[in-house]
Amino acid sequence: MPGHKNLRGLAPDLQKCDVTELPSTVDLRHEDEYVSRANKLLSGLYGTRKSFILTGGSTEGVQTMIASTLKPGEVLAAFSDCHMSVINTCAVCGFGLRLMPIELDKDFLVPHLPDDFEIPSGVSALLITYPNYYGITADIRALADKCEARGVKLLVDEAHGAHFIASDRFPASAVRLGADMVCQSAHKTLNALTGAAYLHVCGADVNIDRVKRAITAFGSSSPSYPIAASADAARAVLEEADYEPILEECDGFKEAIANMTNIRVLENSDPTRIVLCFSYYDISGHEVLTQLSERYGIDIEMSDLVNIVLIVTPWNTHKDFMELFRALCDITRAASVRNSKIDIPSYGSPEIVADPGRAWFAESEMVDLDKAEGRIAASVVAAYPPGCGIIIPGAPITREAVEYIECLQAAGVEIAGVENGKTEVIKWT
């Protein structure tokens, strides 16, 4: 990210839009003639009841969806691979949180939702990430039907799916599958500036006035006009975009890498989200990421213990693919074959009932991570990217979580929420 790929796909002269609320520009939040037209064009493209351009990323969209749907004391259900903004929003707004477990694919070691699950009782809304960071999707239509039958609002964090409407080879967008609200990042897979995002209201009984209030509450009082303009420009480009050439590039690259190396390609839902698995080789995904960056000048989206993740957009070129292909061939030729089993602690992502607000406002202290077992977490601890919580504020810290974090740290993963070996917990009372 961002999807414009070093300015290749970015609209020109956006800096000229960097103004404040002048008489001729009014306010992005007040929807004058031009802002209103931009939002209507966005809504028309995606087929929504109402759409908004945001400048605070999908984080602002997540915050708005949750805050405009729940009331203090009500409970949000989410899967444990949700973004940490979900947890933090529940904390500051006084919402309860029920985290449902996800599963880990034993072959590629990537997360996915269980084949069958029940919506917990007593929740007012369910939030799901669609697709996840690995391009894996869930059956949103079936989930929407379950939510409707239970009177539960369905909120979808579609940060990585803004491009889904561009081709029949992509999954359907959640805006067309029965979700009540959907947020998307326009800078991740489209060609907008970082921070550009869309919020879509789809459900007939969503209170749009409350949505507007939430946008005002969580968004800056001086929203960036260059970011907003780039979001509008990205919408216009998407409306006319032809994804077939870049999809053919993706197909050709995957076929070549599978034929010429022992790298395995994950079969996921999004053909432009390329996940390459190095489990055959005695090298981690993090080591591959480092070599690509330091030796070849190629920056990729993220890595984990055995995989690397690539985000492809129409502004990638054939040269990009060729350089990546040659680099991966070099790296794998120099790597040894893995002779031992991949040792990952059994962090099982248990179902968690947490009161994030209790942790947010409680007195806290920093303790050594290896001594934190049994303490109540005061902040999110997450591997970033993708930013999914491993330790959740308001919930007890388990030995499995500590060992999992230590395993990730040993492999070179950046961990948010751990500083100098310490993490924040609620003080003993």
Side-chain angles (χ1 to χ4, degrees), residues 160-190:
H160 290 264
H163 61 300
F164 280 178
I165 64 170
S167 170
D168 291 339
R169 288 189 57 187
F170 294 131
S173 170
V175 299
R176 300 176 181 179
L177 296 175
D180 288 289
M181 278 193 280
V182 179
C183 67
Q184 302 166 328
S185 292
H187 68 273
K188 286 182 168 68
T189 61
L190 305 184

Side-chain angles (χ1 to χ4, degrees), residues 56-67 76 78-97 99 127-129 155-159 183 185 188 218 356 360 379-384 386-393 416:
S58 281
T59 292
E60 184 182 351
V62 166
Q63 293 167 333
T64 297
M65 291 194 302
I66 296 173
L76 173 74
F79 290 93
S80 58
D81 66 340
C82 67
H83 191 262
M84 54 189 173
S85 61
V86 175
I87 301 163
N88 289 329
T89 304
C90 288
V92 298
C93 291
F95 304 141
L97 180 63
L99 287 181
L127 187 143
I128 183 172
T129 305
L155 313 177
V156 179
D157 177 359
E158 198 174 275
C183 67
S185 292
K188 286 182 168 68
F218 289 103
W360 184 269
S379 63
V380 176
V381 177
Y384 191 85
C388 306
I390 301 169
I391 290 176
I392 308 300

Side-chain angles (χ1 to χ4, degrees), residues 185-246:
S185 292
H187 68 273
K188 286 182 168 68
T189 61
L190 305 184
N191 58 320
L193 287 170
T194 299
Y198 304 140
L199 176 65
H200 304 292
V201 176
C202 310
D205 57 349
V206 174
N207 186 328
I208 289 180
D209 288 334
R210 191 174 169 192
V211 172
K212 290 179 178 179
R213 277 191 281 126
I215 292 174
T216 301
F218 289 103
S220 170
S221 60
S222 299
S224 167
Y225 281 78
I227 293 176
S230 75
D232 185 40
R235 182 270 315 154
V237 170
L238 180 63
E239 200 159 9
E240 304 294 333
D242 178 10
Y243 270 73
E244 285 310 309
I246 200 64

Side-chain angles (χ1 to χ4, degrees), residues 307-339:
N307 303 295
I308 65 171
V309 179
L310 315 170
I311 298 178
V312 179
T313 73
W315 297 277
N316 283 114
T317 66
H318 179 69
K319 181 182 178 183
D320 293 340
F321 283 97
M322 292 303 299
E323 290 180 354
L324 177 63
F325 176 77
R326 295 189 189 102
L328 292 176
C329 287
D330 286 348
I331 291 170
T332 53
R333 274 195 296 266
S336 302
V337 175
R338 190 186 300 270
N339 293 316

Side-chain angles (χ1 to χ4, degrees), residues 99-428:
L99 287 181
M100 297 182 291
I102 57 172
E103 295 180 350
L104 195 67
D105 176 84
K106 294 180 180 179
D107 192 16
F108 282 83
L109 302 179
V110 296
H112 63 89
L113 299 189
D115 292 332
D116 192 26
F117 57 87
E118 292 298 326
I119 300 172
S121 60
V123 303
S124 299
L126 171 67
L127 187 143
I128 183 172
T129 305
Y130 170 94
N132 70 10
Y133 235 94
Y134 296 87
I136 299 171
T137 57
D139 188 343
I140 295 294
R141 177 71 71 185
L143 192 54
D145 291 341
K146 280 186 179 182
C147 287
E148 184 177 10
R150 292 279 301 276
V152 171
K153 290 286 193 302
L154 178 58
L155 313 177
V156 179
D157 177 359
E158 198 174 275
H160 290 264
H163 61 300
F164 280 178
I165 64 170
S167 170
D168 291 339
R169 288 189 57 187
F170 294 131
S173 170
V175 299
R176 300 176 181 179
L177 296 175
D180 288 289
M181 278 193 280
V182 179
C183 67
Q184 302 166 328
S185 292
H187 68 273
K188 286 182 168 68
T189 61
L190 305 184
N191 58 320
L193 287 170
T194 299
Y198 304 140
L199 176 65
H200 304 292
V201 176
C202 310
D205 57 349
V206 174
N207 186 328
I208 289 180
D209 288 334
R210 191 174 169 192
V211 172
K212 290 179 178 179
R213 277 191 281 126
I215 292 174
T216 301
F218 289 103
S220 170
S221 60
S222 299
S224 167
Y225 281 78
I227 293 176
S230 75
D232 185 40
R235 182 270 315 154
V237 170
L238 180 63
E239 200 159 9
E240 304 294 333
D242 178 10
Y243 270 73
E244 285 310 309
I246 200 64
L247 289 170
E248 291 177 6
E249 288 282 2
C250 290
D251 292 342
F253 172 80
K254 293 174 189 177
E255 182 178 358
I257 209 71
N259 288 338
M260 298 298 294
T261 73
N262 285 299
I263 298 171
R264 295 184 297 143
V265 182
L266 176 69
E267 292 187 11
N268 56 14
S269 306
D270 181 355
T272 60
R273 182 61 52 100
I274 302 177
V275 180
L276 304 178
C277 181
F278 292 79
S279 59
Y280 176 86
Y281 301 97
D282 191 20
I283 188 171
S284 72
H286 306 300
E287 291 171 315
V288 174
L289 178 149
T290 299
Q291 290 193 39
L292 286 172
S293 178
E294 294 181 356
R295 291 175 53 191
Y296 300 94
I298 299 172
D299 293 312
I300 64 171
E301 176 58 20
M302 66 164 281
S303 60
D304 60 29
L305 294 177
V306 294
N307 303 295
I308 65 171
V309 179
L310 315 170
I311 298 178
V312 179
T313 73
W315 297 277
N316 283 114
T317 66
H318 179 69
K319 181 182 178 183
D320 293 340
F321 283 97
M322 292 303 299
E323 290 180 354
L324 177 63
F325 176 77
R326 295 189 189 102
L328 292 176
C329 287
D330 286 348
I331 291 170
T332 53
R333 274 195 296 266
S336 302
V337 175
R338 190 186 300 270
N339 293 316
S340 59
K341 183 180 179 181
I342 300 169
D343 186 20
I344 299 178
S346 57
Y347 175 60
S349 181
E351 184 172 351
I352 298 172
V353 180
D355 181 1
R358 173 194 173 199
W360 184 269
F361 296 104
E363 292 293 324
S364 65
E365 60 183 345
M366 301 296 291
V367 300
D368 291 335
L369 179 64
D370 60 3
K371 297 179 181 178
E373 180 184 357
R375 301 292 296 270
I376 303 299
S379 63
V380 176
V381 177
Y384 191 85
C388 306
I390 301 169
I391 290 176
I392 308 300
I397 298 173
T398 65
R399 171 49 46 186
E400 291 79 11
V402 171
E403 291 178 351
Y404 183 61
I405 291 168
E406 290 174 341
C407 174
L408 295 179
Q409 288 178 317
V413 182
E414 181 179 348
I415 302 293
V418 177
E419 297 181 12
N420 300 318
K422 295 179 181 292
T423 191
E424 190 177 10
V425 299
I426 294 177
K427 280 187 176 181
W428 290 115

